[in-house]
Amino acid sequence: MTEGKHGRPIALTIAGSDSSGGAGIQADLKTFSALGVYGATVITAITAQNTQGVQGVLTLPPDIIAAQMSSVASDLAVRAVKTGMLGDRATVETVADGFHQFGGAPLVADPVMVATSGDVLLAPDAIDAVRTRLFPIATIVTPNLREAARLLDAPVAVTEAEMEAQGRALLALGAKAVLMKGGHGEGPEAIDLLVRREGSERFSAPRVATRNTHGTGCTLAAAIAARLAEGDDLAAAVGAAKAYVWKAIEAGRTLGVGKGDGPVDHLHALRKSETRS
């Protein structure tokens, strides 16, 4: 395990801010902390957002996004990078152009397009930039079923065979691996497929009956990045991340935040520790 200057691995999230704290930068930092990794941030956009929807978005100028990346890269020993909401084509290109500064750190690219509420978070003209600029530098891309379909201009996958086929089609865009997330699918299990050139691996967990799933995609990608920063190989990182997110969803059923689709409980392990003490 490679560590930062003060002994703790560092992960960086490049994403948007969620004012309600359940997704985006806030979810990523909570996840990093819960998994014992120091979190740094590059903020790409500010959203006025709560559990009921997105009320406003301000995308930051490319030069300040680039400056944040340079500031972090020049000082912190970043061991993994995660991208989330990038918003528009200029932001995607800025992030892709600046990524080389992190010296080969693994990149977990979450192609955030639509919020849990249904609000659009990626401009249509940015989708091609995600395909052509972000995918080729990514260690792993983590689309949900709807995002995968949009990236491929295809119907939403229903069966595991369709999930794998779409994962392989996305793999052809240049990423080292694709995690097809089945959390929005049907059935008693939430099934994810890790698709790599050498084969596929299936990860499943019982589906939790809850509407409190705000931020699950951000959280899973951040957890993968945290485990990669700790030195896990890719399959181990995905397995540990899925287990963490499942526990966060389960604990989030009773978290009681907001009037809409509430967040998961990122700090569930800490709350259990407080209860025991």
Side-chain angles (χ1 to χ4, degrees):
M1 178 177 69
T2 304
E3 298 181 341
K5 181 178 178 181
H6 300 294
R8 180 175 294 188
I10 298 171
L12 169 67
T13 171
I14 304 175
S17 169
D18 172 6
S19 51
S20 71
I25 288 284
Q26 289 83 350
D28 296 344
L29 286 178
K30 291 173 188 177
T31 300
F32 292 162
S33 296
L35 296 178
V37 170
Y38 182 87
T41 66
V42 169
I43 298 176
T44 59
I46 300 168
T47 69
Q49 183 175 173
N50 56 31
T51 64
Q52 299 178 85
V54 179
Q55 292 80 43
V57 176
L58 173 66
T59 301
L60 296 186
D63 58 348
I64 192 63
I65 295 171
Q68 290 178 82
M69 292 179 72
S70 295
S71 291
V72 173
S74 67
D75 188 38
L76 305 185
V78 172
R79 304 314 309 164
V81 180
K82 176 257 180 185
T83 59
M85 177 186 174
L86 299 181
D88 59 21
R89 186 180 188 91
T91 300
V92 175
E93 293 176 343
T94 298
V95 170
D97 288 341
F99 180 69
H100 67 89
Q101 298 172 89
F102 299 102
L107 171 61
V108 181
D110 184 21
V112 175
M113 296 183 181
V114 180
T116 301
S117 59
D119 296 284
V120 175
L121 298 177
L122 184 70
D125 69 349
I127 295 175
D128 187 60
V130 168
R131 295 186 192 106
T132 60
R133 298 298 310 279
L134 198 62
F135 275 48
I137 61 174
T139 303
I140 182 170
V141 182
T142 63
N144 63 36
L145 299 181
R146 287 176 292 184
E147 289 164 346
R150 183 66 186 86
L151 285 161
L152 295 168
D153 291 322
V156 175
V158 176
T159 67
E160 287 186 49
E162 291 172 346
M163 288 173 64
E164 178 160 5
Q166 291 195 4
R168 297 219 164 271
L170 292 173
L171 202 63
L173 298 176
K176 293 182 178 66
V178 176
L179 183 67
M180 293 288 293
K181 301 181 301 190
H184 293 294
E186 302 292 334
E189 289 183 302
I191 297 166
D192 299 344
L193 292 181
L194 176 60
V195 182
R196 293 187 277 189
R197 285 166 181 81
E198 62 269 29
S200 301
E201 191 167 345
R202 184 180 191 269
F203 298 84
S204 66
R207 196 175 296 280
V208 179
T210 179
R211 64 182 295 188
N212 294 340
T213 58
H214 181 59
T216 48
C218 304
T219 301
L220 180 63
I224 294 171
R227 294 309 313 172
L228 291 175
E230 287 275 14
D232 284 4
D233 65 33
L234 192 55
V238 170
K242 187 168 178 68
Y244 165 76
V245 171
W246 185 88
K247 291 177 183 176
I249 295 172
E250 173 70 18
R253 290 190 302 168
T254 57
L255 195 57
V257 173
K259 300 174 183 176
D261 297 318
V264 303
D265 188 355
H266 299 90
L267 302 180
H268 56 272
L270 177 61
R271 297 185 210 292
K272 285 184 180 179
S273 174
E274 290 173 344
T275 300
R276 286 195 297 269
S277 62

